[in-house]
Amino acid sequence: MDTAPPALPTTSTPAQDAKNRRKGATAAALASAVEWYDYFVFGIAAALVLGDLYFPAGSSSAGVLASFATFAVGFLARPFGGVIAGHLGDKRGRKPMLVLALTLMGMATTGIGLLPTYETIGIAAPVLLVTLRVMQGIAVGAQWGGAMLLATEYAPEGKRGIYGSFVQLGVPIGVVTANSVFLLAGAFTSESAFAAWGWRLPFLVGLLVLVLAWYIHKHVEETPEFRAAERALAEKEKEEKGQATEQGADKEAGKEAGKGKGGDHTRNSPLRTILRGHLSTVFLAGGSFAVNTATFYILITGVLDYTTRELDMNRGAVLTVSLCVSLTQLVLIPASAALSDRIGRIRIYGLGAAGIALWAVPMFLLIDTGSLLWLAVGTFVASCFLSIMYGPQAALFAELFTPEMRYTGASLGYQIAAVLGGGLAPFVMVLLLETTGTSMSVAAYIIGLAVIALGSIKVLADRARSR
């Protein structure tokens, strides 16, 4: 399902093209990894310490719900980042928006690491924490589209899937790194020291994001497909201006000329184009992916809280299991993406969604045993299905839209899924467990999202066949 047009040829040499391709793919992968690291450390901290430090309440469940609600706020902010960066990224370029997103994330994450607690500054502490989490949400909403397009729009013919997977690898790398840093912080501090200041160390690593933002700004070029779209639009506007002038429409021609200066695509609004003619595709993309992001955050955040608070399992041991399971994704994600280059995105994507639906109940039956071994087995199999689905997702979303509206459309689809799935999932999980007293309610929640995903995938597949 490769519907996107190839980039127009440029005057660069094959050696320069290969160098730019490697540099773009590497920068995209690193940007994704550090951005997701910064985003995930909040989720781990929310499960472990933020409830007590910033939302003191009468019960541990209430504190966790409050911290997970703050976790969800970041997801609610993600579509705004996707819309703003998508609109400007389709007009000004992929690279500037990616640099801006990384800078904002670095500032927000470092700010959380330095933020005083409720005991120190009172109600201002949770207010500032929510504000910084919103900044994180806007940043990651803006980042994914820029990093994904930096990779896929540099991809050679027939390899968009594997190049897109470089960005997707940022998620497991971010999880592994975040868990590792928290494990180290816990290993070298006592329980009281970890609660007092040890948890802040993973957030201060966010300063490295600013270094990467500077590097991309200085050393990475804009994608060839965006430059090709720029040239095509400039040619079209030049032709339209000439026709308008010949017809004596001097006033209208002057307006078009002013709007077309500097490669600014103000004549056509990418967001308006999406809202008027492609909104259904955006919602289908979001519906197809919500189960993946919901299950993922249940595994890395919700299960961490559930196993340590309800099943009384050791925090370090559970984090170690999560780390090891995430390592397997480093192999499975590119493997499934490469396979999608050969046999199609939709086929692989749908297989992953069906697997998640079928495994939801067995997974929680295994987790409920309270055994580390069965926890590892349950989450590993679920992670396999998530990886099968996640590998081709970047290329699939890129191919749903043409270059001039791709940043906006792909970002909106992804971030809608993030809100409906990932942002609410840990909160919904705690709420379901408190209300029903059984983890089967969480499994039912996952299955419901999987049914929506399979329906959305079928419609996307039917549309691809009709084209």
Side-chain angles (χ1 to χ4, degrees), residues 166-179:
F166 296 156
V167 175
Q168 308 298 73
L169 284 175
V171 171
I173 291 173
V175 172
V176 169
T177 309
N179 280 329

mmCIF file with all atom_site columns, all heavy atoms in Angstrom, residues 166-179:
data_model
loop_
_atom_site.group_PDB
_atom_site.id
_atom_site.type_symbol
_atom_site.label_atom_id
_atom_site.label_alt_id
_atom_site.label_comp_id
_atom_site.label_asym_id
_atom_site.label_entity_id
_atom_site.label_seq_id
_atom_site.pdbx_PDB_ins_code
_atom_site.Cartn_x
_atom_site.Cartn_y
_atom_site.Cartn_z
_atom_site.occupancy
_atom_site.B_iso_or_equiv
_atom_site.pdbx_formal_charge
_atom_site.auth_seq_id
_atom_site.auth_comp_id
_atom_site.auth_asym_id
_atom_site.auth_atom_id
_atom_site.pdbx_PDB_model_num
ATOM 1  N N   . PHE A 1 166 ? 12.847 2.743  12.075 1.00 0.00 ? 166 PHE A N   1
ATOM 2  C CA  . PHE A 1 166 ? 13.920 3.361  12.862 1.00 0.00 ? 166 PHE A CA  1
ATOM 3  C C   . PHE A 1 166 ? 13.334 4.326  13.888 1.00 0.00 ? 166 PHE A C   1
ATOM 4  O O   . PHE A 1 166 ? 13.825 4.435  15.019 1.00 0.00 ? 166 PHE A O   1
ATOM 5  C CB  . PHE A 1 166 ? 14.900 4.104  11.949 1.00 0.00 ? 166 PHE A CB  1
ATOM 6  C CG  . PHE A 1 166 ? 15.641 3.217  10.995 1.00 0.00 ? 166 PHE A CG  1
ATOM 7  C CD1 . PHE A 1 166 ? 16.170 3.726  9.818  1.00 0.00 ? 166 PHE A CD1 1
ATOM 8  C CD2 . PHE A 1 166 ? 15.808 1.867  11.265 1.00 0.00 ? 166 PHE A CD2 1
ATOM 9  C CE1 . PHE A 1 166 ? 16.862 2.912  8.935  1.00 0.00 ? 166 PHE A CE1 1
ATOM 10 C CE2 . PHE A 1 166 ? 16.495 1.044  10.386 1.00 0.00 ? 166 PHE A CE2 1
ATOM 11 C CZ  . PHE A 1 166 ? 17.024 1.565  9.217  1.00 0.00 ? 166 PHE A CZ  1
ATOM 12 N N   . VAL A 1 167 ? 12.289 5.046  13.481 1.00 0.00 ? 167 VAL A N   1
ATOM 13 C CA  . VAL A 1 167 ? 11.623 5.966  14.398 1.00 0.00 ? 167 VAL A CA  1
ATOM 14 C C   . VAL A 1 167 ? 10.834 5.187  15.441 1.00 0.00 ? 167 VAL A C   1
ATOM 15 O O   . VAL A 1 167 ? 10.828 5.544  16.628 1.00 0.00 ? 167 VAL A O   1
ATOM 16 C CB  . VAL A 1 167 ? 10.694 6.919  13.615 1.00 0.00 ? 167 VAL A CB  1
ATOM 17 C CG1 . VAL A 1 167 ? 9.897  7.806  14.561 1.00 0.00 ? 167 VAL A CG1 1
ATOM 18 C CG2 . VAL A 1 167 ? 11.507 7.770  12.658 1.00 0.00 ? 167 VAL A CG2 1
ATOM 19 N N   . GLN A 1 168 ? 10.173 4.110  15.014 1.00 0.00 ? 168 GLN A N   1
ATOM 20 C CA  . GLN A 1 168 ? 9.394  3.304  15.947 1.00 0.00 ? 168 GLN A CA  1
ATOM 21 C C   . GLN A 1 168 ? 10.280 2.670  17.014 1.00 0.00 ? 168 GLN A C   1
ATOM 22 O O   . GLN A 1 168 ? 9.830  2.412  18.136 1.00 0.00 ? 168 GLN A O   1
ATOM 23 C CB  . GLN A 1 168 ? 8.628  2.209  15.194 1.00 0.00 ? 168 GLN A CB  1
ATOM 24 C CG  . GLN A 1 168 ? 7.784  2.711  14.027 1.00 0.00 ? 168 GLN A CG  1
ATOM 25 C CD  . GLN A 1 168 ? 6.690  3.663  14.440 1.00 0.00 ? 168 GLN A CD  1
ATOM 26 O OE1 . GLN A 1 168 ? 6.956  4.814  14.792 1.00 0.00 ? 168 GLN A OE1 1
ATOM 27 N NE2 . GLN A 1 168 ? 5.463  3.204  14.418 1.00 0.00 ? 168 GLN A NE2 1
ATOM 28 N N   . LEU A 1 169 ? 11.540 2.400  16.676 1.00 0.00 ? 169 LEU A N   1
ATOM 29 C CA  . LEU A 1 169 ? 12.459 1.823  17.657 1.00 0.00 ? 169 LEU A CA  1
ATOM 30 C C   . LEU A 1 169 ? 12.717 2.774  18.821 1.00 0.00 ? 169 LEU A C   1
ATOM 31 O O   . LEU A 1 169 ? 13.166 2.347  19.888 1.00 0.00 ? 169 LEU A O   1
ATOM 32 C CB  . LEU A 1 169 ? 13.792 1.470  16.990 1.00 0.00 ? 169 LEU A CB  1
ATOM 33 C CG  . LEU A 1 169 ? 13.804 0.216  16.123 1.00 0.00 ? 169 LEU A CG  1
ATOM 34 C CD1 . LEU A 1 169 ? 15.151 0.064  15.432 1.00 0.00 ? 169 LEU A CD1 1
ATOM 35 C CD2 . LEU A 1 169 ? 13.487 -1.019 16.942 1.00 0.00 ? 169 LEU A CD2 1
ATOM 36 N N   . GLY A 1 170 ? 12.434 4.062  18.624 1.00 0.00 ? 170 GLY A N   1
ATOM 37 C CA  . GLY A 1 170 ? 12.610 5.015  19.702 1.00 0.00 ? 170 GLY A CA  1
ATOM 38 C C   . GLY A 1 170 ? 11.772 4.673  20.925 1.00 0.00 ? 170 GLY A C   1
ATOM 39 O O   . GLY A 1 170 ? 12.160 4.963  22.053 1.00 0.00 ? 170 GLY A O   1
ATOM 40 N N   . VAL A 1 171 ? 10.621 4.022  20.707 1.00 0.00 ? 171 VAL A N   1
ATOM 41 C CA  . VAL A 1 171 ? 9.749  3.674  21.835 1.00 0.00 ? 171 VAL A CA  1
ATOM 42 C C   . VAL A 1 171 ? 10.394 2.621  22.738 1.00 0.00 ? 171 VAL A C   1
ATOM 43 O O   . VAL A 1 171 ? 10.556 2.860  23.939 1.00 0.00 ? 171 VAL A O   1
ATOM 44 C CB  . VAL A 1 171 ? 8.366  3.221  21.327 1.00 0.00 ? 171 VAL A CB  1
ATOM 45 C CG1 . VAL A 1 171 ? 7.540  2.661  22.473 1.00 0.00 ? 171 VAL A CG1 1
ATOM 46 C CG2 . VAL A 1 171 ? 7.634  4.400  20.697 1.00 0.00 ? 171 VAL A CG2 1
ATOM 47 N N   . PRO A 1 172 ? 10.760 1.433  22.205 1.00 0.00 ? 172 PRO A N   1
ATOM 48 C CA  . PRO A 1 172 ? 11.414 0.476  23.119 1.00 0.00 ? 172 PRO A CA  1
ATOM 49 C C   . PRO A 1 172 ? 12.747 0.969  23.661 1.00 0.00 ? 172 PRO A C   1
ATOM 50 O O   . PRO A 1 172 ? 13.095 0.685  24.813 1.00 0.00 ? 172 PRO A O   1
ATOM 51 C CB  . PRO A 1 172 ? 11.599 -0.782 22.261 1.00 0.00 ? 172 PRO A CB  1
ATOM 52 C CG  . PRO A 1 172 ? 11.514 -0.317 20.850 1.00 0.00 ? 172 PRO A CG  1
ATOM 53 C CD  . PRO A 1 172 ? 10.558 0.841  20.877 1.00 0.00 ? 172 PRO A CD  1
ATOM 54 N N   . ILE A 1 173 ? 13.501 1.724  22.848 1.00 0.00 ? 173 ILE A N   1
ATOM 55 C CA  . ILE A 1 173 ? 14.758 2.284  23.363 1.00 0.00 ? 173 ILE A CA  1
ATOM 56 C C   . ILE A 1 173 ? 14.471 3.242  24.515 1.00 0.00 ? 173 ILE A C   1
ATOM 57 O O   . ILE A 1 173 ? 15.158 3.236  25.542 1.00 0.00 ? 173 ILE A O   1
ATOM 58 C CB  . ILE A 1 173 ? 15.539 2.993  22.238 1.00 0.00 ? 173 ILE A CB  1
ATOM 59 C CG1 . ILE A 1 173 ? 16.063 1.977  21.220 1.00 0.00 ? 173 ILE A CG1 1
ATOM 60 C CG2 . ILE A 1 173 ? 16.702 3.796  22.819 1.00 0.00 ? 173 ILE A CG2 1
ATOM 61 C CD1 . ILE A 1 173 ? 16.691 2.598  20.004 1.00 0.00 ? 173 ILE A CD1 1
ATOM 62 N N   . GLY A 1 174 ? 13.435 4.064  24.354 1.00 0.00 ? 174 GLY A N   1
ATOM 63 C CA  . GLY A 1 174 ? 13.057 4.977  25.428 1.00 0.00 ? 174 GLY A CA  1
ATOM 64 C C   . GLY A 1 174 ? 12.623 4.248  26.677 1.00 0.00 ? 174 GLY A C   1
ATOM 65 O O   . GLY A 1 174 ? 12.976 4.637  27.797 1.00 0.00 ? 174 GLY A O   1
ATOM 66 N N   . VAL A 1 175 ? 11.851 3.156  26.493 1.00 0.00 ? 175 VAL A N   1
ATOM 67 C CA  . VAL A 1 175 ? 11.399 2.372  27.650 1.00 0.00 ? 175 VAL A CA  1
ATOM 68 C C   . VAL A 1 175 ? 12.581 1.717  28.354 1.00 0.00 ? 175 VAL A C   1
ATOM 69 O O   . VAL A 1 175 ? 12.698 1.768  29.589 1.00 0.00 ? 175 VAL A O   1
ATOM 70 C CB  . VAL A 1 175 ? 10.384 1.297  27.208 1.00 0.00 ? 175 VAL A CB  1
ATOM 71 C CG1 . VAL A 1 175 ? 10.065 0.358  28.362 1.00 0.00 ? 175 VAL A CG1 1
ATOM 72 C CG2 . VAL A 1 175 ? 9.112  1.942  26.695 1.00 0.00 ? 175 VAL A CG2 1
ATOM 73 N N   . VAL A 1 176 ? 13.457 1.084  27.567 1.00 0.00 ? 176 VAL A N   1
ATOM 74 C CA  . VAL A 1 176 ? 14.622 0.409  28.151 1.00 0.00 ? 176 VAL A CA  1
ATOM 75 C C   . VAL A 1 176 ? 15.492 1.401  28.905 1.00 0.00 ? 176 VAL A C   1
ATOM 76 O O   . VAL A 1 176 ? 15.925 1.147  30.039 1.00 0.00 ? 176 VAL A O   1
ATOM 77 C CB  . VAL A 1 176 ? 15.440 -0.302 27.047 1.00 0.00 ? 176 VAL A CB  1
ATOM 78 C CG1 . VAL A 1 176 ? 16.785 -0.771 27.593 1.00 0.00 ? 176 VAL A CG1 1
ATOM 79 C CG2 . VAL A 1 176 ? 14.664 -1.496 26.502 1.00 0.00 ? 176 VAL A CG2 1
ATOM 80 N N   . THR A 1 177 ? 15.747 2.544  28.295 1.00 0.00 ? 177 THR A N   1
ATOM 81 C CA  . THR A 1 177 ? 16.603 3.548  28.924 1.00 0.00 ? 177 THR A CA  1
ATOM 82 C C   . THR A 1 177 ? 15.955 4.115  30.181 1.00 0.00 ? 177 THR A C   1
ATOM 83 O O   . THR A 1 177 ? 16.612 4.267  31.226 1.00 0.00 ? 177 THR A O   1
ATOM 84 C CB  . THR A 1 177 ? 16.912 4.688  27.938 1.00 0.00 ? 177 THR A CB  1
ATOM 85 O OG1 . THR A 1 177 ? 17.391 4.152  26.711 1.00 0.00 ? 177 THR A OG1 1
ATOM 86 C CG2 . THR A 1 177 ? 17.964 5.622  28.510 1.00 0.00 ? 177 THR A CG2 1
ATOM 87 N N   . ALA A 1 178 ? 14.665 4.434  30.094 1.00 0.00 ? 178 ALA A N   1
ATOM 88 C CA  . ALA A 1 178 ? 13.971 4.987  31.260 1.00 0.00 ? 178 ALA A CA  1
ATOM 89 C C   . ALA A 1 178 ? 13.960 3.985  32.415 1.00 0.00 ? 178 ALA A C   1
ATOM 90 O O   . ALA A 1 178 ? 14.245 4.347  33.566 1.00 0.00 ? 178 ALA A O   1
ATOM 91 C CB  . ALA A 1 178 ? 12.542 5.380  30.881 1.00 0.00 ? 178 ALA A CB  1
ATOM 92 N N   . ASN A 1 179 ? 13.640 2.714  32.109 1.00 0.00 ? 179 ASN A N   1
ATOM 93 C CA  . ASN A 1 179 ? 13.638 1.695  33.162 1.00 0.00 ? 179 ASN A CA  1
ATOM 94 C C   . ASN A 1 179 ? 15.033 1.494  33.742 1.00 0.00 ? 179 ASN A C   1
ATOM 95 O O   . ASN A 1 179 ? 15.199 1.317  34.962 1.00 0.00 ? 179 ASN A O   1
ATOM 96 C CB  . ASN A 1 179 ? 13.120 0.368  32.612 1.00 0.00 ? 179 ASN A CB  1
ATOM 97 C CG  . ASN A 1 179 ? 11.605 0.329  32.523 1.00 0.00 ? 179 ASN A CG  1
ATOM 98 O OD1 . ASN A 1 179 ? 10.915 0.952  33.312 1.00 0.00 ? 179 ASN A OD1 1
ATOM 99 N ND2 . ASN A 1 179 ? 11.083 -0.400 31.560 1.00 0.00 ? 179 ASN A ND2 1
#
